[in-house]
Amino acid sequence: MGVADLGLPVDVPSTALFTDHYELTMLQAALKAGTAGRHSVFEVFTRRLPHGRRYGVVAGTGRVLDAVENFRFDADVLGFLRERRIVDEATLQWLAGYRFSGDIWGYPEGEVYFPGSPVMRVEGSFGECVLLETVILSILNHDSAIAAAASRMSSAAGDRPLIEMGARRTHELAAVAASRAAYVGGFATTSDLAAGFRYNIPTVGTSAHAFTLLHDRERDAFQAQVDSLGRDTTLLVDTYDVTEAVRAAVEVAGPELGAVRIDSGDLLLVAHRVRQQLDELGARDTKIVVTSDLDEYAIASLAAAPVDAYGVGTQLVTGSGHPTGSMVYKLVARADSADPTAPLRPVAKKSSGGKTSIGGRKWAARRLDAYGIAETEVVGTGPVPAELADRQLLVELVKGGEVVGREPLDVVRDRHTAVRAGLPLSATQLSRGEPVLPTEYVTAGSGN
């Protein structure tokens, strides 16, 4: 069963109302003015990365494709708009037949991006494209922020697996999206069953402190868990005294005990002590899993500790301090009429305060150095230079309203690992710094 077969994991009839009120009032005014049918090009990009971050990660593209397919104004949605008098009857009639029929290009999911990168390009009539702004941005901004945090954490973790366990720290639907984005960024498993069901992400979990507290003795809780889940289970050993718990865990499960989990205290110190104790008890193959408000810095600080896996929650689902990618959706080119042969005219916002944009339909390519390592993000309008023709980044996602770019999540995850490996080594440094690649703009012609 594929993602498309499952539908949306939300109790709404469509994604059409995942939008802002002003998208519909703009549409109404454009329909009355006769400009809604003008061919238009919108682009998603960010003007800057979060302070200190070296790269961004494109995530949520697959969810955007689902959202576009399900962007329909059915009878209930139209009834709501009519009852609230949000738009007039002529606009409601237009919306009743809405189907996105344009084209969408974008960076493939799992790619990295930098300031000015045209992460996604949406083309079609103004009316059909403007309505998608909010839902596209809400997905890409959230998922890309989570994936960027996950990428930094997985880089810090090295070969040690990461468990996503942040569902209880965010909205229940955001938790599913966060788990997916974390998987893109390098996490191996999730505790969230909804994410496992919808996206086929491996799920894991054993017990919490409540299970230990339920029993009269800690040993009884361990015995019950081992009897139910087997000797290779993971026992939580910090409810009371860690040393006593580890001893009891090995006595109950034997040296075949799968793992112990530590969820509090000085993790570096405790991990060393637990490893020594496990070895002395003959449980040399028993692994150590640590949790407890970890972020990429805490994970990096445990690199020399005898830790085998990390569980991360709060810091992951909040983007490790940066919960949005700060992406925007801007009109960059439009025709002077609804005539499909009318040429495109570059348009751009020229306001002050750092909110300017560059007009024209963009292409993007990544220049490599002599060693095959990325050195520059090149963004341009007009013809693509011959030397960059085979380094272009945007791929076709939707053609004539039909999704053509959906990919398995494992392909996306593997892509990110490969792309990150092709960045300069400084990309994975956790110290604050500028984007690891500069963005170079090349303008030519009219932007057509």
Side-chain angles (χ1 to χ4, degrees):
M1 180 179 291
V3 171
D5 299 321
L6 295 175
L8 291 165
V10 288
D11 188 20
V12 295
S14 77
T15 54
L17 293 184
F18 289 166
T19 192
D20 288 312
H21 187 121
Y22 80 163
E23 311 291 6
L24 298 184
T25 54
M26 280 193 288
L27 170 65
Q28 176 177 301
L31 288 170
K32 286 189 174 182
T35 54
R38 291 184 174 185
H39 187 76
S40 300
V41 180
F42 287 81
E43 289 177 352
V44 177
F45 62 93
T46 185
R47 296 184 176 96
R48 63 191 65 85
L49 296 179
H51 181 63
R53 293 285 174 90
R54 305 298 180 91
Y55 61 92
V57 179
V58 178
T61 307
R63 296 208 307 120
V64 167
L65 299 181
D66 293 343
V68 171
E69 282 189 330
N70 286 279
F71 205 91
R72 304 285 188 267
F73 292 84
D74 60 21
D76 289 340
V77 172
L78 292 170
F80 165 77
L81 297 175
R82 182 177 288 111
E83 179 185 349
R84 298 292 182 94
R85 298 183 179 180
I86 291 172
V87 291
D88 61 21
E89 195 62 33
T91 305
L92 290 173
Q93 293 301 315
W94 189 94
L95 292 173
Y98 180 89
R99 299 290 186 275
F100 180 74
S101 63
D103 302 328
I104 300 178
W105 289 70
Y107 279 35
E109 190 165 16
E111 252 294 357
V112 296
Y113 68 89
F114 301 91
S117 296
V119 170
M120 186 167 287
R121 188 176 74 216
V122 182
E123 296 194 39
S125 71
F126 176 85
E128 64 180 337
C129 293
V130 75
L131 295 183
L132 299 177
E133 174 182 8
T134 304
V135 69
I136 287 177
L137 286 180
S138 65
I139 292 172
L140 292 181
N141 270 317
H142 173 269
D143 290 23
S144 295
I146 305 306
S151 179
R152 286 162 60 86
M153 293 174 187
S154 66
S155 177
D159 294 332
R160 298 170 179 177
L162 290 158
I163 307 164
E164 185 280 313
M165 48 194 303
R168 64 191 62 194
R169 301 298 188 222
T170 188
H171 186 280
E172 67 272 19
L173 299 181
V176 181
S179 179
R180 182 186 184 281
Y183 192 68
V184 170
F187 274 60
T189 54
T190 179
S191 67
D192 191 280
L193 289 176
F197 171 74
R198 177 159 174 76
Y199 297 116
N200 200 31
I201 300 170
T203 61
V204 295
T206 51
S207 67
H209 292 101
F211 186 75
T212 301
L213 296 170
L214 169 68
H215 293 80
D216 295 333
R217 297 186 305 161
E218 189 172 45
R219 178 184 294 270
D220 295 337
F222 290 168
Q223 188 66 62
Q225 184 174 326
V226 169
D227 289 346
S228 175
L229 301 178
R231 296 179 183 274
D232 62 346
T233 190
T234 299
L235 296 177
L236 181 59
V237 295
D238 72 327
T239 305
Y240 305 117
D241 180 83
V242 173
T243 301
E244 290 302 318
V246 170
R247 181 179 296 107
V250 175
E251 288 175 355
V252 168
E256 299 86 10
L257 174 62
V260 295
R261 178 163 74 95
I262 306 166
D263 187 53
S264 60
D266 183 336
L267 297 179
L268 179 62
L269 176 63
V270 176
H272 278 286
R273 288 178 174 173
V274 168
R275 180 74 270 159
Q276 180 179 353
Q277 185 181 9
L278 287 170
D279 291 347
E280 290 172 349
L281 293 171
R284 295 184 177 278
D285 294 328
T286 299
K287 299 184 184 303
I288 297 175
V289 180
V290 296
T291 54
S292 186
D293 291 329
L294 299 177
D295 61 10
E296 59 266 49
Y297 300 101
I299 292 169
S301 73
L302 292 168
V307 171
D308 297 287
Y310 307 92
V312 189
T314 303
Q315 292 301 319
L316 175 66
V317 299
T318 57
S320 194
H322 298 288
T324 177
S326 298
M327 295 179 186
V328 295
Y329 183 96
K330 296 299 180 184
L331 181 66
V332 296
R334 53 87 173 170
D336 288 335
S337 73
D339 184 341
T341 64
L344 288 173
R345 177 194 302 274
V347 294
K349 184 176 180 179
K350 298 298 184 183
S351 63
S352 60
K355 287 194 172 184
T356 59
S357 57
I358 298 174
R361 181 200 282 135
K362 315 287 190 312
W363 51 262
R366 191 162 295 149
R367 184 181 294 128
L368 307 183
D369 65 16
Y371 300 96
I373 300 299
E375 64 176 4
T376 308
E377 190 87 341
V378 185
V379 176
T381 59
V384 180
E387 67 273 16
L388 295 175
D390 63 347
R391 298 297 309 167
Q392 294 189 71
L393 293 166
L394 279 80
V395 299
E396 196 167 30
L397 301 171
V398 176
K399 182 176 183 179
E402 297 295 323
V403 172
V404 297
R406 187 174 277 116
E407 298 179 298
L409 199 55
D410 283 331
V411 171
V412 172
R413 187 171 184 266
D414 291 344
R415 174 183 293 122
H416 177 65
T417 300
V419 169
R420 187 177 64 190
L423 295 176
L425 286 175
S426 57
T428 58
Q429 290 179 339
L430 295 182
S431 57
R432 297 189 182 279
E434 296 300 312
V436 71
L437 298 188
T439 302
E440 175 185 319
Y441 293 97
V442 178
T443 58
S446 62
N448 293 347

